[in-house]
Amino acid sequence: MGRKFRTGDGPDQAMLMPADPREWLPDGHLAWKVLDLAGEMDLSRFGASYRADGQGGRPYHPQVMATLLLYCYCRGRRSSREVEMATFDDVGARIICGGLHPDHSTVAEFTRRNMGAVLALLPESVKACAAEGLVDLSVVAGDGTKLKANAAMAAGLTREQLDAQVAELEAWIDADFRQWAQGILDDEGITPPPGGAPGDGSPGGKDGNGKWKRKPARAGQMLERRLAARARLDGLRDEAQGTRDARVAELAARVERKQAALARQEGKAQARADARAAAIAAGRRPGGKAPGSVSADRDVARARQALADARADHAAALAGTAAGEWRPDGRRRPGRPARDKQGEAGKASQAGKAGQEAKVSPADPSSRVMPLKKGGYDQLFNVQALATARTQVILAIMRHPSPVDVQALLPLLAEARRVLAAAGIPGQIGTALFDAGYASDANFTAPIPEALYVAVTREARQAGRSADGRDPETMLPSWQDMKARLATSEGKALYRQRSATIEPVFAQLTARLGRTLHYRGALADAELALWAASHNILKAITARTRRLARQARTATAPALAA
């Protein structure tokens, strides 16, 4: 007797799926939960960009499209083509769309058209988490990571190359206009004025010098992007020049302080020598070792060396040769040449390495060449996030133009306050935890309502996991205050929550969505908002599922007891 196997219907069998769509998926499937949660969210902004007079074709319902995006991001599908295919091969997406299949261009255009509404999904997701009791503002933690931009680092252009390409594109567009005008004049029987020959209109690549062999097919769009890249490069140059000027002024003030300190030490040494000489003249024998000259005094020698270091750093900044690393308090690290901590004049700067001309990406001027964590460089975004302790709800996510984190602390906290206000959540953040990459006197002394706990040394030592490393020797009072705050038992207990709060957030996001942003420019912010909103929605769905399960067990317990 042969083995009996269980078989389903064949591909040619009619009605493979049940007639009722509610039978296609189990009750606990993610699609049903996303539909329920999206029905409670305010998605009315998605309909504001459509015409109210009913003219034109019938668009897809904006709430359906928004729910589809949230569901696909929750499933890790974020490419517009992946979203399109999900409406065919994902039963949950088919149910959300009601059997419709918006193509990839429609998905991408929906995101562009409703960028403001997409950004508002983050406050709505925070509100959904707050309804489940997941938003505790007593302790939050922030950090940053580098994500790949949708641009190639090798395609960066200098100002000279941009000027040449802009001039060439403008000439081609002008020739096209003259050709169009000539056709109109010929139709009217009017002799046109002489003009140059237009381009041939055929697409073509570039030669070894970065110039086009033939006219690009979309010269207008390319011209627009290169004009934006040129404006971005000019802004970066102005920003770098302002940073250098501020650095020079800071180092000049430091030289003056060191000169005053040297004068004080010399005065003290001279006073000690004069007092000893007066005692000997009076017939008294002073105790201790006879001091040498004032110039040989130990404290005077140290102050003189500090003054020499300050003058050397000031001269290097004036010459524009800074190429090492600075401590956050402005003191040079031993054994390393000087570099601007803010990254504008360093090798991680958009201006490029020392001696090289600044470049900018024409594909996405908002991205920058930044160092990778494991070495090398790439065209990246510095993405910052702030999340609540224990529940890991994202309160803010943003891109920061600097490759270092120190300048991102205050904007990140301000963005979190904006999101909380938009979500209608009362109260304010109590304690904010950050690692040593955010340590600076400006951050420590900023007038903000949050209580900061920012590491002043390496993470393992600050969290008490290792005794390696040492605390920085700084003369700034704000650093001393932060060091004392972290040294208390309360400060140690709070800071130990930092890594367990924010680092798993980035791990969860990148494991589900990758490490590359698909959109460019301002749309990258909308993409990050979808990243964070889907993360929070999954948190809210999990919390709601557990709450309903507890309520069901509580309701059945008395019946079983009876």
Side-chain angles (χ1 to χ4, degrees):
M1 185 174 182
R3 179 82 177 179
K4 294 183 178 180
F5 296 96
R6 179 179 300 178
T7 60
D9 295 325
D12 56 347
Q13 173 66 39
M15 295 298 294
L16 287 177
M17 302 294 289
D20 188 351
R22 289 171 295 183
E23 299 179 11
W24 293 4
L25 293 174
D27 293 338
H29 194 271
L30 178 64
W32 302 122
K33 297 178 180 180
V34 171
L35 278 169
D36 291 341
L37 201 60
E40 300 172 5
M41 298 169 64
D42 183 9
L43 303 179
S44 59
R45 297 185 183 182
F46 284 95
S49 61
Y50 295 95
R51 296 180 58 167
D53 56 5
Q55 297 294 321
R58 296 177 61 186
Y60 293 95
H61 197 289
Q63 186 166 349
V64 171
M65 295 295 295
T67 307
L68 175 65
L69 281 177
L70 288 174
Y71 171 75
C72 288
Y73 271 74
C74 288
R75 295 293 301 268
R77 291 183 166 185
R78 57 194 185 92
S79 166
S80 58
R81 294 183 183 273
E82 290 179 337
V83 174
E84 176 188 358
M85 290 308 302
T87 63
F88 290 95
D89 56 31
D90 189 311
V91 178
R94 292 181 70 102
I95 289 177
I96 291 173
C97 293
L100 299 177
H101 305 286
D103 60 16
H104 64 275
S105 60
T106 301
V107 174
E109 179 60 27
F110 177 81
T111 304
R112 295 188 187 96
R113 178 191 290 266
N114 299 279
M115 186 177 69
V118 172
L119 293 173
L121 286 176
L122 178 55
E124 289 296 321
S125 68
V126 173
K127 186 190 301 184
C129 290
E132 300 298 330
L134 299 179
V135 179
D136 182 4
L137 302 180
S138 58
V139 180
V140 300
D143 204 352
T145 190
K146 303 297 192 302
L147 296 181
K148 180 71 174 67
N150 190 6
M153 182 179 67
L157 300 176
T158 64
R159 176 58 187 265
E160 182 181 358
Q161 291 171 328
L162 283 171
D163 289 341
Q165 291 190 8
V166 166
E168 190 173 5
L169 288 167
E170 287 177 341
W172 273 327
I173 293 173
D174 183 62
D176 280 345
F177 176 78
R178 289 198 301 270
Q179 183 183 34
W180 171 79
Q182 179 179 348
I184 294 179
L185 294 175
D186 289 343
D187 292 342
E188 298 293 334
I190 303 175
T191 302
D200 59 6
S202 60
K206 300 179 184 178
D207 59 17
N209 297 323
K211 292 183 176 294
W212 289 280
K213 300 175 183 177
R214 296 182 300 275
K215 176 188 172 184
R218 298 181 179 181
Q221 295 181 5
M222 297 181 70
L223 175 62
E224 183 179 355
R225 289 198 297 267
R226 276 150 182 77
L227 290 174
R230 188 167 64 178
R232 171 65 173 166
L233 187 56
D234 292 341
L236 287 173
R237 287 183 172 180
D238 295 341
E239 181 183 350
Q241 184 60 46
T243 302
R244 285 193 293 268
D245 293 343
R247 185 63 181 169
V248 169
E250 179 185 353
L251 291 176
R254 183 165 173 254
V255 169
E256 294 179 359
R257 293 196 302 269
K258 297 302 181 182
Q259 287 176 339
L262 176 59
R264 288 195 302 270
Q265 294 298 337
E266 289 177 341
K268 292 179 182 179
Q270 187 63 49
R272 289 193 295 268
D274 293 344
R276 185 179 183 85
I280 294 175
R284 298 193 304 272
R285 183 177 179 180
K289 182 180 178 180
S293 63
V294 172
S295 60
D297 184 83
R298 182 184 62 180
D299 293 335
V300 172
R302 289 179 176 175
R304 187 177 292 112
Q305 182 61 45
L307 176 59
D309 290 344
R311 284 174 173 169
D313 294 339
H314 182 246
L318 284 174
T321 59
E325 185 161 350
W326 287 87
R327 285 176 173 167
D329 57 354
R331 299 179 64 186
R332 190 173 61 188
R333 298 184 187 275
R336 298 185 183 181
R339 177 170 71 87
D340 184 358
K341 174 71 168 62
Q342 306 302 321
E344 300 299 339
K347 65 181 181 180
S349 170
Q350 179 71 15
K353 300 180 181 179
Q356 295 183 358
E357 191 173 356
K359 292 184 177 181
V360 68
S361 170
D364 189 355
S366 63
S367 63
R368 299 185 62 169
V369 176
M370 299 182 185
L372 294 166
K373 186 175 183 179
K374 296 184 179 180
Y377 298 87
D378 207 342
Q379 201 76 24
L380 305 171
F381 291 118
N382 183 6
V383 176
Q384 301 285 320
L386 191 78
T388 60
R390 293 182 296 277
T391 56
Q392 299 172 347
V393 174
I394 298 178
L395 300 180
I397 191 166
M398 58 178 288
R399 296 177 299 153
H400 194 265
S402 175
V404 295
D405 294 337
V406 65
Q407 298 175 339
L409 187 147
L410 299 180
L412 184 59
L413 290 175
E415 175 65 11
R417 295 188 211 106
R418 185 197 68 80
V419 171
L420 290 173
I425 297 177
Q428 64 181 22
I429 296 172
T431 300
L433 311 174
F434 294 91
D435 63 17
Y438 297 84
S440 72
D441 180 66
N443 289 337
F444 294 162
T445 58
I448 56 177
E450 296 84 6
L452 290 180
Y453 285 80
V454 183
V456 295
T457 185
R458 57 181 300 178
E459 175 73 15
R461 178 180 174 86
Q462 192 71 70
R465 298 193 301 268
S466 172
D468 296 339
R470 60 185 179 86
D471 292 335
E473 300 173 359
T474 175
M475 296 180 296
L476 298 177
S478 62
W479 280 70
Q480 296 174 357
D481 294 343
M482 183 59 67
K483 180 180 176 181
R485 183 184 304 175
L486 290 165
T488 62
S489 57
E490 179 186 5
K492 292 178 180 178
L494 283 171
Y495 189 80
R496 278 195 291 268
Q497 302 179 48
R498 191 207 69 84
S499 60
T501 296
I502 189 62
E503 291 180 5
V505 170
F506 286 118
Q508 294 164 17
L509 286 175
T510 55
R512 179 164 49 89
L513 299 167
R515 299 198 66 89
T516 302
L517 293 179
H518 290 176
Y519 288 100
R520 296 168 173 169
L523 281 172
D525 296 325
E527 185 175 0
L528 286 175
L530 282 169
W531 282 39
S534 62
H535 173 89
N536 291 345
I537 284 175
L538 290 174
K539 297 284 184 182
I541 287 174
T542 301
R544 174 173 294 187
T545 302
R546 292 175 178 174
R547 175 176 58 82
L548 294 177
R550 288 195 302 268
Q551 293 176 353
R553 289 194 300 267
T554 303
T556 57
L560 294 176

